[in-house]
Amino acid sequence: MVCPRVIRMSSPADAATTLAASEEVLGTLSPSRAGDFLTCPLLYRFRHVDRLPERPSLDAVRGTVVHRVLELLFDLPAVERTPERAAGMVPAAWAEVREREPAVEAEFAATGTTEEAWLGTCGTVLARYFALEDPTRLEPAERELYVETLTDTRLLLRGFVDRLDVAPDGQLRVVDYKTGRAPGVGFEGRALFQMKFYALVLQRTRGVLPAMLQLIYLGSGEIIRYVPDESDLRATERKVEAVWEAISTARASGRWEPRPGKLCGWCSHQALCPAWGGTPPPLPAD
C-alpha cells in the first residue's frame, strides 16, 4: 500500500531531499539501513524504528574526521594537497565533529585512550591515502553528493556518495573511503552492495552506468575496484525491493528477529537483545 510521504527532519538526507512533500513513496531505504536489516532485523528495529541512542565509537568518529578532511582537501589548489596540509586540517575537522557529538568525549576515558594518541591515528590513516592516490592529479566532480531516486514501485533509494569523478568522455567513477581494513577475499559483498546501490541510483538519475566502483580502504592501504554491468544493477534493484518487503513484513507482524553473529560484541543494544537474555522495549505506537 502506498502512503503519503511524510518528511521527518531526523537526518541530513531528510534535509537534502529534492522530492516534493506531496509525492508518495512506499518507503525509504539507504545502503546503511539495508545493511542493518541484512545484518540483524532487530538491530534495524532498534536503530530505525525505536531510534534508540547509541554510544559513539572512537573508530566511527575517526572515520567521520578523516572523511571531512578528504572532502575539504579538494577545496585547496592542487599543488597544496599534501600530506602535511591534510594532517594540519585534522584539528579543525575534529572540532567540528566534537561540537556535533559532545558525548564522544566520554569515550576517551571509557576506553583509556588519550585524545592526542587518537588524533595521531587520524593522521596515520590519512597518510595512507597519499600512498594510494595523488590528489594533485584529481579534480572530483562531486564530494559528499546526495543522491536519490524512486523505483517503479515508489521505493525511495537515497544516500551520500563520498566522491564522484567524471572523465572528459562522461564516464563516472564512484569512490568511497573506508577507514577500516579491507575485507578478506569472498567477504566484499556488503561493501560492493553499497556501491552497486549508488550505481543504480546514479544510472536512474543520470542515465549513465558508472564505469568504475572504487573502495579505498585506508585502514589497510588497499583499493578494491569493480566494473558493474546492467545485470548487476538489475540484481541490486531486486535485492533492495526484497529487503524492503522483508522490512514491511517485520513491521506488519511486529516480529524483528535477532540474528546473533560476530558483530554482537560491538552492538550498543546487546542488553536489550533476547539472544543475550534481554527484553526489547515495547514498539512505538506509530
Side-chain angles (χ1 to χ4, degrees):
M1 177 180 179
V2 176
C3 300
R5 179 172 178 271
V6 177
I7 295 180
R8 293 179 178 175
M9 302 302 286
S10 59
S11 77
D14 290 332
T17 184
T18 60
L19 292 179
S22 60
E23 291 199 54
E24 296 181 345
V25 301
L26 176 68
T28 302
L29 206 58
S30 66
S32 60
R33 286 190 174 208
D36 285 343
F37 188 84
L38 292 169
T39 297
C40 175
L42 186 57
L43 173 65
Y44 178 97
R45 182 203 140 168
F46 286 153
R47 281 183 171 168
H48 308 295
V49 179
D50 299 293
R51 298 184 181 181
L52 299 180
E54 297 186 358
R55 284 178 55 185
S57 156
L58 289 180
D59 288 340
V61 174
R62 180 191 301 111
T64 303
V65 169
V66 169
H67 275 75
R68 181 60 173 154
V69 171
L70 291 175
E71 178 188 3
L72 296 175
L73 185 69
F74 288 98
D75 285 339
L76 300 175
V79 70
E80 296 181 24
R81 298 170 195 163
T82 64
E84 294 74 21
R85 282 300 300 271
M89 296 165 75
V90 168
W94 163 228
E96 284 185 27
V97 175
R98 181 170 49 193
E99 184 175 355
R100 293 197 306 268
E101 299 185 50
V104 74
E105 295 279 6
E107 289 303 294
F108 290 109
T111 60
T113 303
T114 67
E115 182 176 335
E116 182 181 8
W118 179 81
L119 286 171
T121 66
C122 294
T124 299
V125 169
L126 276 169
R128 291 197 186 102
Y129 170 72
F130 290 87
L132 298 170
E133 285 192 318
D134 180 358
T136 66
R137 303 179 65 181
L138 297 170
E139 291 298 339
E142 304 279 359
R143 287 162 286 149
E144 290 298 314
L145 171 67
Y146 175 73
V147 295
E148 68 178 9
T149 190
L150 279 171
T151 68
D152 295 341
T153 63
R154 309 299 290 177
L155 178 61
L156 174 62
L157 308 182
R158 67 185 188 180
F160 287 90
V161 176
D162 286 347
R163 196 179 90 208
L164 185 66
D165 299 335
V166 180
D169 62 0
Q171 290 192 90
L172 305 181
R173 178 171 64 184
V174 185
V175 180
D176 194 75
Y177 306 116
K178 303 291 186 186
T179 49
R181 301 183 65 83
V185 176
F187 293 91
E188 309 95 339
R190 177 166 177 167
L192 285 177
F193 167 70
Q194 173 192 11
M195 301 301 280
K196 292 175 185 178
F197 184 108
Y198 292 144
L200 171 65
V201 177
L202 287 166
Q203 184 194 45
R204 292 179 66 94
T205 55
R206 301 196 179 202
V208 178
L209 173 67
M212 177 69 69
L213 309 179
Q214 181 168 297
L215 288 151
I216 302 178
Y217 285 93
L218 301 175
S220 53
E222 299 173 69
I223 294 179
I224 293 178
R225 296 184 176 93
Y226 185 85
V227 178
D229 58 28
E230 293 285 352
S231 65
D232 281 321
L233 302 197
R234 287 194 297 269
T236 300
E237 185 164 3
R238 289 194 299 269
K239 184 171 183 176
V240 296
E241 295 283 2
V243 170
W244 181 254
E245 183 176 350
I247 291 172
S248 300
T249 298
R251 187 188 304 273
S253 67
R255 296 182 60 185
W256 302 88
E257 301 294 339
R259 188 172 295 155
K262 293 186 295 183
L263 298 179
C264 287
W266 298 92
C267 182
S268 297
H269 314 297
Q270 195 178 89
L272 299 174
C273 179
W276 297 90
T279 302
L283 280 162
D286 61 351

